[in-house]
């Protein structure tokens, strides 16, 4: 083919095969336990009797006026286990404070708090959460961090408390149900989500080691006593993936943490286009701030070999066959492995369908975005954000 000796192509195929086989086995070993993972938490029961204990909710905000209304309404609908909602605002200029004040006139549990200027060494989100924790009512036994783009469903707080107390968790986070509307986000976002599943398993899978614990800071319930022991959110102060950093530190300290499928309890509309999904979500999904360097690049290698190159490999092999080059035994094995990885990927896509609310048709083509998604993780792992949510670091 184009003057390239057949033995050279065969040697390249053998090299790729030798790298892919062990990574494919690791992937299977990592994801097969997901077949036995717990079912999604059931929907909450509105107006159910309050459980022992009380909850302070902290919502960090910075110019969230366009998307905070569903979050405020969802929290307003929570039952009496919710003691207070502290919206910690970092001097928004778009009308966010006015929306919180309007809700506070309807529900006295809501309170607007303006955080102090960002201290040196802190990232904005963990600072807002830490500031809210310090200002929260000491009588609250639990602290629930909620992001402004989430849509809490009725009974969320009660169901979280029930699960944490019945299962003995000191911290519990939820994987939400995603709302996708634009064709671009419908194509790219599921591919980016799968990079997390390939590395850490599905929500509900227990982590064997603290450094492999997964979390979602969009909804994180933690005992006040645990945060007091950890000096609040200080351990995650400089992290752009502060949720995972905090949870792994708490797990390493010996506390019991859980990551559950909360599709019936929490919905989220994160981004609105391909470009926004690429920029905003993609730059933190490498989780380098929470991950040892050898583990980070080992996981990147797994993504490249099992999610990033199967399509490229298959297309390349068929292109060579189309030019009259017969497949060697090595190339046949390589083709079979990569077709198997692609089939596995489509099966996983069907498995995560319930994590999406009426996704656009491009959702079903998202495996074709896998090479781009993996490229985004690689680019993110090689750099550190300089700007985030309107702040420059």
């Amino acid at each position: 083919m184009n003057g390239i000796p057949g033995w050279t192509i065969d040697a390249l195929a053998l090299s790729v095969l030798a790298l892919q086989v062990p990574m494919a086995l690791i992937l299977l070993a990592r994801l097969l336990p997901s077949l036995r993972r717990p079912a999604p938490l059931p929907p909450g029961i509105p107006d159910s009797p309050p459980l022992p204990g009380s909850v302070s909710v902290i919502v960090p905000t910075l110019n969230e006026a366009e998307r905070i209304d569903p979050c405020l309404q969802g929290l307003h609908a929570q039952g009496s286990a919710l003691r207070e909602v502290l919206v910690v605002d970092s001097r928004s200029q778009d009308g966010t404070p006015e929306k919180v004040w309007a809700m506070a006139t309807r529900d006295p549990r809501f309170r607007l708090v303006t955080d102090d200027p960002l201290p040196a060494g802190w990232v904005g989100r963990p600072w807002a959460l830490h500031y809210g924790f310090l200002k929260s009512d000491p009588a609250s036994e639990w602290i629930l961090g909620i992001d402004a783009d989430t849509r809490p469903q009725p009974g969320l707080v009660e169901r979280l408390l029930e699960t944490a107390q019945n299962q003995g968790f000191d911290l519990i986070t939820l994987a939400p149900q995603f709302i996708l509307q634009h064709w671009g986000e419908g194509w790219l976002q599921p591919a980016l989500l799968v990079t997390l599943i390939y590395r850490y398993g599905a929500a509900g899978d227990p982590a064997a080691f603290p450094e492999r614990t997964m979390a979602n800071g969009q909804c994180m319930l933690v005992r006040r006593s645990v945060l007091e022991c950890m000096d609040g959110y200080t351990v995650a102060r400089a992290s752009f993936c502060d949720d995972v950093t905090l949870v792994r530190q708490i797990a390493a300290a010996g506390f019991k943490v859980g990551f559950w499928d909360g599709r019936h309890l929490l919905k989220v509309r994160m981004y609105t286009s391909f470009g926004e999904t690429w920029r905003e979500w993609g730059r933190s999904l490498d989780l380098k701030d929470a991950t040892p360097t050898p583990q980070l690049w080992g996981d990147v290698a797994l993504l490249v070999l099992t999610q990033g190159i199967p399509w490229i490999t298959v297309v390349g092999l068929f292109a060579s066959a189309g030019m009259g080059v017969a497949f060697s035994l090595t190339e046949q094995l390589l083709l079979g492995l990569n077709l198997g990885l692609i089939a596995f990927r489509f099966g996983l896509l069907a498995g995560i369908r319930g994590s999406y609310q009426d996704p656009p048709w491009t959702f079903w083509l998202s495996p074709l975005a896998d090479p781009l998604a993996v490229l985004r993780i690689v680019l993110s792992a090689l750099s550190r954000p300089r700007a985030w949510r309107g702040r420059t670091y």
Side-chain angles (χ1 to χ4, degrees), residues 222-301:
V222 57
R223 292 183 191 272
R224 171 181 290 276
S225 59
V226 172
L227 283 177
E228 290 172 343
C229 179
M230 302 298 296
D231 193 16
Y233 295 81
T234 303
V235 294
R237 61 185 177 274
S239 176
F240 287 96
C241 56
D242 57 278
D243 49 357
V244 179
T245 299
L246 178 69
V247 169
R248 289 181 179 178
Q249 291 293 325
I250 288 176
F255 296 104
K256 185 178 180 180
V257 305
F259 180 43
W260 286 68
D261 185 337
R263 68 182 67 173
H264 302 304
L265 299 169
L266 188 76
K267 301 179 186 294
V268 61
R269 177 86 168 106
M270 292 174 62
Y271 305 115
T272 59
S273 66
F274 176 95
E276 191 179 11
T277 304
W278 174 272
R279 290 189 307 272
E280 299 297 329
W281 204 29
R283 62 182 168 180
S284 64
L285 279 182
D286 60 279
L287 305 183
K288 59 179 171 289
D289 291 346
T291 308
T293 300
Q295 178 184 322
L296 169 67
W297 289 106
D299 284 343
V300 168

Side-chain angles (χ1 to χ4, degrees), residues 72-90:
L72 297 178
Q73 293 293 339
L75 292 173
H76 170 63
Q78 301 301 310
S80 57
L82 174 58
R83 179 184 297 274
E84 61 180 353
V85 178
L86 283 75
V87 179
V88 182
D89 188 69
S90 300

